[in-house]
Amino acid sequence: MPVHSVPLRDASLHFRLLQQYLLLLKKFPILTKSITSGILSALGNLLSQILEARKKARYGTPVTEIDAAGAIRYAIYGLFITGPVSHYFYQLMEVWMPTTDPYCIVKRLLLDRLIFAPGFLLLFYFVMNILEAKGWEDFEKKMRRSYWTALKMNWKVWTPFQFINVNFVPVQFRVLFANVIALFWYAYLASVRK
């Protein structure tokens, strides 16, 4: 039976969206990754709020409305921090630790887990503190109260995903791969930072 190609206008919506995303990724890599990061970060925050509201409703506690400002803060963080910083980190990793290096698999994971993860989490706490218009004392308090717990959870949750990401996912898709995982990670961070 002969194989027929499908005209683009008859292609499924998912396929067309993927094709458009790939085109934008090729033409505008940083902007595309930044916008994707912003959207998925905001969705992670909204997911956290919805899960928390369900939990409160189950126990008969009054449920508050969705905090749109919280979702906007996460969108801003994703757009201006996560997207660009992750893009450059993964690009530099390719230069610093090429696949020709026999130990690149281990080196990449150690760089990500021991250098990038603690610094990026610290940056998250700092930027969120600024976006929440809170003072230095609040920042120190949140750092003392939850940074170490969040970092240990980061190492537990992210290590297997980042092993796959930095070693087997093509570099142009690493930010997207991490953003999909981050959708749930930001839901966790939004709840632990309270």
Side-chain angles (χ1 to χ4, degrees), residues 1 4 15 24 45 49-50 56 72 77 114 121 124 130 134 164 171-172 181 189:
M1 178 175 350
H4 299 286
F15 179 75
L24 290 170
N45 178 268
Q49 292 184 51
I50 290 166
K56 284 181 177 180
I72 291 169
Y77 183 79
L114 300 178
L121 185 60
F124 172 81
I130 291 170
K134 303 237 173 130
I164 293 166
V171 70
Q172 69 268 28
I181 305 307
L189 281 181

Side-chain angles (χ1 to χ4, degrees), residues 153-166:
M153 183 60 78
N154 179 298
W155 286 334
K156 289 177 190 174
V157 170
W158 279 93
T159 300
F161 294 113
Q162 282 300 87
F163 176 77
I164 293 166
N165 195 19
V166 300

Side-chain angles (χ1 to χ4, degrees), residues 137-174:
E137 296 79 25
D138 285 318
F139 174 70
E140 287 179 329
K141 190 168 91 177
K142 284 184 181 177
M143 287 294 292
R144 277 194 298 273
R145 190 179 72 225
S146 66
Y147 177 81
W148 180 240
T149 302
L151 182 59
K152 288 188 292 186
M153 183 60 78
N154 179 298
W155 286 334
K156 289 177 190 174
V157 170
W158 279 93
T159 300
F161 294 113
Q162 282 300 87
F163 176 77
I164 293 166
N165 195 19
V166 300
N167 290 303
F168 303 109
V169 174
V171 70
Q172 69 268 28
F173 298 120
R174 288 183 188 160

Side-chain angles (χ1 to χ4, degrees), residues 63-172:
V63 177
T64 57
E65 291 183 23
I66 295 291
D67 176 21
I72 291 169
R73 284 190 294 272
Y74 275 74
I76 290 169
Y77 183 79
L79 179 67
F80 293 107
I81 305 293
T82 303
V85 170
S86 298
H87 168 82
Y88 286 113
F89 172 71
Y90 293 132
Q91 294 293 327
L92 288 171
M93 182 183 283
E94 287 298 304
V95 173
W96 293 338
M97 298 166 190
T99 56
T100 56
D101 182 341
Y103 299 108
C104 79
I105 289 176
V106 174
K107 287 179 181 178
R108 287 177 174 194
L109 187 63
L110 290 175
L111 174 67
D112 180 76
R113 302 289 69 221
L114 300 178
I115 306 297
F116 187 73
F120 197 70
L121 185 60
L122 176 66
L123 183 63
F124 172 81
Y125 273 73
F126 183 72
V127 171
M128 282 297 161
N129 198 66
I130 291 170
L131 293 174
E132 291 169 347
K134 303 237 173 130
W136 185 256
E137 296 79 25
D138 285 318
F139 174 70
E140 287 179 329
K141 190 168 91 177
K142 284 184 181 177
M143 287 294 292
R144 277 194 298 273
R145 190 179 72 225
S146 66
Y147 177 81
W148 180 240
T149 302
L151 182 59
K152 288 188 292 186
M153 183 60 78
N154 179 298
W155 286 334
K156 289 177 190 174
V157 170
W158 279 93
T159 300
F161 294 113
Q162 282 300 87
F163 176 77
I164 293 166
N165 195 19
V166 300
N167 290 303
F168 303 109
V169 174
V171 70
Q172 69 268 28

Side-chain angles (χ1 to χ4, degrees), residues 15-27:
F15 179 75
R16 287 188 310 220
L17 287 174
L18 176 61
Q19 201 168 32
Q20 187 63 37
Y21 180 80
L22 293 175
L23 178 68
L24 290 170
L25 191 60
K26 189 172 185 171
K27 281 185 163 183

